[in-house]
Amino acid sequence: MSSILEEIETKIAGLKTSTTKSNIGTVRETGDGVARIEGLSDVMLNEMIEFPGGVFGLALNLEETEVGAILLGDATKISEGDEAKTTGRLLSVPVGKGLLGRVVNTLGEPLDGKGEVKSETFYPLEKIAPGVIKRRSVSQPVQTGIMAIDAMIPIGRGQRELIIGDRATGKTTIGIDTIISQARLNKAGEDSKSKDYRPLYCIYVAIGQKNSNVARVLAVLEKEDAMRYSTIISAPASDSATNQYLAPFAGAAMGEWFMDNGMDALIIYDDLSKHAVAYRQVSLVLKRPSGREAYPGDVFYLHSRLLERAARVSDEYGGGSVTALPIIETQAGDVSAYIPTNVISITDGQIYLETDLFYQGVRPAISVGLSVSRVGSAAQIKAIKQVAGKVKLDLAQFRELAAFAQFGSDLDAATKARLDRGQRIVELFKQIQYNPIPVELQVAVMWAMQNGFIDPVPVERVKEFQNKLQDFLQTRKESLLASIRQKKQLDAELEANLKATLEEFSATKPVG
Amino acid sequence: MQVKKEVRQIAREMLRASFTDGQLDRGRVASVVDSILAKKPRNYLKILEYYKRLLRLEAEKRHARIETATALEPQITSQISLNLARRYGTDLTTEFAINQALLGGMRIRVGSDVWDSSIRNRLERLQQQL
Ligand SMILES: Nc1ncnc2c1ncn2[C@@H]1O[C@H](COP(=O)(O)OP(=O)(O)OP(=O)(O)O)[C@@H](O)[C@H]1O
Ligand SMILES: [Mg+2]
């Protein structure tokens, strides 16, 4: 108690003598969530501006005679002639572990009715990304639990991988599956008390979506007990364009706190197409000049500034990381539109989802030919490389052959074998949503495929065979799975063990 | 207000031509305006409007408004004017006003700079801090 009194004493003492210097201006015009203010000669870009009644704005346009500010609170409280004041502060959000399990808005205020967000640290929304000296290359995996991705388009911690596709092709689902997979791994890591395990915390930023979509994501994550490692930032379509425009930066700030403290975070920006639209709207009311597709000229800079903040810092700086999974929605598969091309050029690769595949039942609808990960293979564990090294090429060749085979009936034996294998791989990679597969199980299944154990199974029963195999391994061969998990690579002993196990399993005639 | 670059440029040049020895000069202002009205370049009304705005902001930068809760002794007001003139130049105009809402202390505004030592300001800051 006495220390609180002392603190108040010193605060009062500090105030007694001091004269404050501030910089003020007068509101000339307001509307559309924007105020134009004359004066404010000392204001900085992105500085918070205080209006009467506790409303704050953000200085975005600095012109010769006036400042354009977007309003963050109740804009109706502000009128012409009001005095506005610089604060010397940049817009900041609460950060830290107190945000895990929470649903918050762009300013970090709770939306989940669970009371105040517990946080003592605030980070500015805009921050300079770590420079090249602080960074190190990607070398630790993000296990999405989605077999097609972990095998063919692996993602590493600190990477920026774009998820791109038309509407309703399963983009959000890939993000959610990845979060669920982390939650399971984090929990297992916690239970094992292993010092080597680095939990990966997830931040899902919903931009311009329907409230019902955000509610769906939340419901799934709660059901899977994944919220304890996650934060949802929601700036739905019903929110102001300003909040939608700022939401990803709030996410980046929250992620950076983990990185700065030697931990790992993953941020999903769902999606940057809607983000660009919100930014266009904000720029429009600020009367900024526009360029291609009516987007403001600096929209490229906006997205590169955001994604630049994904990084893995070197061990000297704690070895933390921020991984970014931005999502882009395309129109009729057109990746050459302005925003998609921009974001493709900024990221380290993309997972491209195709409507046709989705409707053929190939889900997740990943287009093997168009999807790449430029840095992730450095992070793949060796066992996956051993069993999946050639799979991407095999599948790509299969697609070509399959197209060709439609026209010719006599195929040589080698071609036919290739087609058979390809069809089976496609089946293996079909994966129901919210059902991530642990990496050791992925290894075992793909080993079975590479070693011909799946070739005799009719294509339409491959999935059934796979499910039964997974069950068999998980219930009866936990020690085999555990040693794949620990060794992280297949040695002669493990391979012999796998062979014996698969023979034992096949002998049970799982699919008749 | 979106003002064309060209308009702003001309208005800025007019402003630059409106000073003598670093002080706004009424005579020069009048002649600058006259010459524009005589030439009537493209957008000349917009130019004049923007020039007027720049002039007003310039005048505000050279004007101090001093607010106190109660009237000040004449001796103190002249001391304040003198001190401000020393800091901002002799062409600074001063205006004294009473604002009871300050409760006590003083608030000085020159252009967009504000020095505030009023009781109201201290209370507000205290409220924010606690
Ligand atoms: N692997 C999957 N297996 C089965 N169903 C899936 C799978 N992935 C997605 N779906 C279903 O497809 C639908 C669309 O998925 P999702 O919402 O993830 O797509 P989206 O591309 O994010 O859509 P939007 O453009 O509306 O944001 C959902 O109903 C989802 O449940
Ligand atoms: Mg979606």
Side-chain angles (χ1 to χ4, degrees):
Chain A
M1 186 64 202
S2 67
S3 69
I4 297 177
L5 289 178
E6 268 171 35
E7 200 181 311
I8 295 174
E9 282 288 342
T10 46
K11 275 183 181 159
I12 292 176
L15 291 175
K16 259 183 193 157
T17 46
S18 67
T19 300
T20 58
K21 176 174 190 272
S22 55
N23 198 256
I24 66 165
T26 312
V27 176
R28 277 174 54 94
E29 213 183 308
T30 138
D32 293 327
V34 167
R36 310 192 66 79
I37 307 148
E38 204 173 70
L40 290 179
S41 55
D42 287 351
V43 77
M44 301 176 288
L45 190 64
N46 286 320
E47 183 175 348
M48 299 269 280
I49 297 173
E50 191 180 347
F51 296 92
V55 177
F56 286 90
L58 192 63
L60 283 188
N61 263 23
L62 308 187
E63 291 158 22
E64 184 177 22
T65 55
E66 55 182 31
V67 173
I70 50 177
L71 300 169
L72 302 167
D74 185 358
T76 57
K77 282 190 189 158
I78 297 171
S79 44
E80 218 183 291
D82 279 351
E83 207 168 79
K85 190 161 97 183
T86 59
T87 61
R89 282 182 288 135
L90 299 172
L91 180 58
S92 301
V93 285
V95 295
K97 284 197 170 172
L99 281 136
L100 297 175
R102 304 303 303 266
V103 183
V104 297
N105 67 13
T106 294
L107 300 178
E109 296 161 347
L111 295 175
D112 50 11
K114 291 187 183 162
E116 243 180 84
V117 169
K118 288 189 189 63
S119 160
E120 275 159 15
T121 317
F122 285 75
Y123 264 29
L125 264 67
E126 294 270 5
K127 215 172 161 202
I128 310 287
V132 270
I133 297 169
K134 280 182 85 175
R135 286 176 192 248
R136 59 167 296 181
S137 56
V138 167
S139 65
Q140 289 178 325
V142 172
Q143 304 288 2
T144 64
I146 300 168
M147 206 150 96
I149 296 179
D150 292 345
M152 298 186 294
I153 322 154
I155 303 171
R157 296 189 186 193
Q159 186 177 341
R160 299 157 297 178
E161 182 78 10
L162 171 65
I163 301 168
I164 185 167
D166 279 3
R167 56 170 304 275
T169 48
K171 304 183 296 297
T172 300
T173 304
I174 288 187
I176 300 176
D177 280 354
T178 306
I179 298 179
I180 296 172
S181 172
Q182 303 323 308
R184 293 190 187 165
L185 291 167
N186 291 350
K187 180 144 196 320
E190 251 170 39
D191 292 348
S192 75
K193 303 212 161 49
S194 151
K195 287 214 168 53
D196 295 335
Y197 182 73
R198 296 177 60 89
L200 183 53
Y201 299 98
C202 299
I203 300 165
Y204 176 80
V205 187
I207 309 150
Q209 297 189 34
K210 283 196 225 115
N211 275 312
S212 58
N213 271 344
V214 184
R216 185 192 99 189
V217 171
L218 176 63
V220 172
L221 294 184
E222 270 178 344
K223 183 166 161 283
E224 299 290 337
D225 197 21
M227 276 308 285
R228 35 194 293 218
Y229 306 103
S230 319
T231 304
I232 294 180
I233 301 175
S234 175
S238 54
D239 209 339
S240 67
T242 302
N243 284 346
Q244 292 179 44
Y245 147 59
L246 293 171
F249 292 91
M254 291 176 192
E256 264 157 6
W257 180 85
F258 288 101
M259 179 165 75
D260 289 349
N261 287 280
M263 290 177 272
D264 296 328
L266 173 121
I267 314 176
I268 295 161
Y269 301 109
D270 194 0
D271 60 50
L272 292 188
S273 305
K274 295 191 186 74
H275 181 239
V277 170
Y279 186 57
R280 176 165 68 187
Q281 211 167 322
V282 168
S283 301
L284 201 71
V285 291
L286 282 171
K287 302 201 170 84
R288 287 184 175 173
S290 56
R292 223 177 121 184
E293 292 180 26
Y295 287 104
D298 62 349
V299 69
F300 176 83
Y301 175 59
L302 174 82
H303 285 154
S304 72
R305 203 166 75 215
L306 175 70
L307 295 172
E308 200 50 39
R309 288 162 76 176
R312 168 139 185 250
V313 295
S314 59
D315 291 338
E316 269 169 81
Y317 297 95
S321 71
V322 167
T323 306
L325 299 182
I327 294 179
I328 285 281
E329 182 184 307
T330 48
Q331 310 295 327
D334 182 10
V335 291
S336 66
Y338 187 38
I339 301 298
T341 0
N342 279 354
V343 180
I344 286 173
S345 72
I346 297 164
T347 44
D348 305 307
Q350 69 272 350
I351 295 168
Y352 184 78
L353 303 175
E354 262 180 293
T355 309
D356 285 353
L357 289 174
F358 190 85
Y359 287 109
Q360 284 162 25
V362 180
R363 301 179 188 179
I366 299 169
S367 161
V368 180
L370 294 175
S371 301
V372 286
S373 169
R374 286 183 206 101
V375 294
S377 66
Q380 249 177 340
I381 66 166
K382 188 143 185 246
I384 281 274
K385 281 194 189 140
Q386 286 172 297
V387 293
K390 296 195 340 288
V391 130
K392 187 162 193 258
L393 198 65
D394 282 350
L395 255 192
Q397 280 179 351
F398 161 71
R399 295 235 179 270
E400 269 174 35
L401 278 179
F404 170 74
Q406 285 177 350
F407 305 104
S409 51
D410 4 296
L411 301 168
D412 59 88
T415 310
K416 185 151 184 324
R418 276 229 167 114
L419 280 171
D420 286 348
R421 183 59 71 80
Q423 280 177 316
R424 283 165 181 77
I425 301 176
V426 170
E427 288 305 308
L428 287 184
F429 283 167
K430 287 183 184 170
Q431 189 173 332
I432 193 88
Q433 57 186 342
Y434 316 145
N435 188 29
I437 304 177
V439 64
E440 59 276 11
L441 214 48
Q442 295 186 18
V443 169
V445 168
M446 275 186 286
W447 188 90
M449 183 266 300
Q450 297 286 24
N451 290 277
F453 284 92
I454 301 181
D455 294 341
V457 181
V459 171
E460 65 282 2
R461 302 196 70 175
V462 164
K463 202 80 233 168
E464 188 188 342
F465 179 92
Q466 179 192 2
N467 289 338
K468 286 186 174 163
L469 173 61
Q470 290 178 192
D471 268 353
F472 178 80
L473 291 167
Q474 284 182 304
T475 53
R476 314 244 324 250
K477 303 288 170 185
E478 180 45 43
S479 66
L480 168 62
L481 293 177
S483 70
I484 299 177
R485 197 158 53 221
Q486 278 147 21
K487 286 187 180 166
K488 293 194 169 79
Q489 60 173 309
L490 300 180
D491 52 17
E493 189 195 330
L494 268 180
E495 293 217 44
N497 199 339
L498 273 168
K499 185 158 181 282
T501 302
L502 269 246
E503 277 162 0
E504 182 189 341
F505 175 69
S506 297
T508 65
K509 301 215 175 303
V511 291
Chain B
M1 187 176 51
Q2 197 72 8
V3 186
K4 282 212 183 86
K5 206 170 167 187
E6 185 194 343
V7 169
R8 282 188 312 213
Q9 245 164 23
I10 299 175
R12 236 180 280 136
E13 272 162 33
M14 289 166 65
L15 183 72
R16 221 173 291 135
S18 312
F19 288 89
T20 319
D21 297 334
Q23 300 199 359
L24 268 184
D25 182 329
R26 273 169 192 281
R28 278 178 166 245
V29 170
S31 68
V32 162
V33 172
D34 284 346
S35 84
I36 283 284
L37 285 177
K39 281 189 222 147
K40 287 199 175 54
R42 208 150 56 105
N43 287 325
Y44 74 98
L45 282 178
K46 287 219 173 80
I47 295 173
L48 280 176
E49 224 166 86
Y50 198 70
Y51 172 64
K52 198 177 105 193
R53 188 167 173 194
L54 291 177
L55 265 185
R56 178 167 55 77
L57 290 174
E58 201 55 42
E60 276 173 17
K61 274 192 220 159
R62 283 147 206 281
H63 179 74
R65 181 182 163 90
I66 300 108
E67 291 177 21
T68 46
T70 51
L72 294 171
E73 304 275 325
Q75 190 195 338
I76 297 178
T77 58
S78 58
Q79 186 61 46
I80 291 171
S81 301
L82 211 70
N83 284 344
L84 286 170
R86 207 172 294 146
R87 188 180 174 114
Y88 283 97
T90 45
D91 63 335
L92 187 83
T93 54
T94 48
E95 168 196 2
F96 287 85
I98 293 182
N99 179 357
Q100 283 168 347
L102 296 182
L103 301 173
M106 189 184 296
R107 185 178 195 268
I108 303 176
R109 175 172 180 174
V110 183
S112 53
D113 287 339
V114 173
W115 280 267
D116 198 333
S117 66
S118 69
I119 305 281
R120 182 185 65 181
N121 178 261
R122 292 184 207 182
L123 288 176
E124 277 171 1
R125 278 191 299 142
L126 193 60
Q127 192 183 27
Q128 275 175 7
Q129 282 188 15
L130 295 179

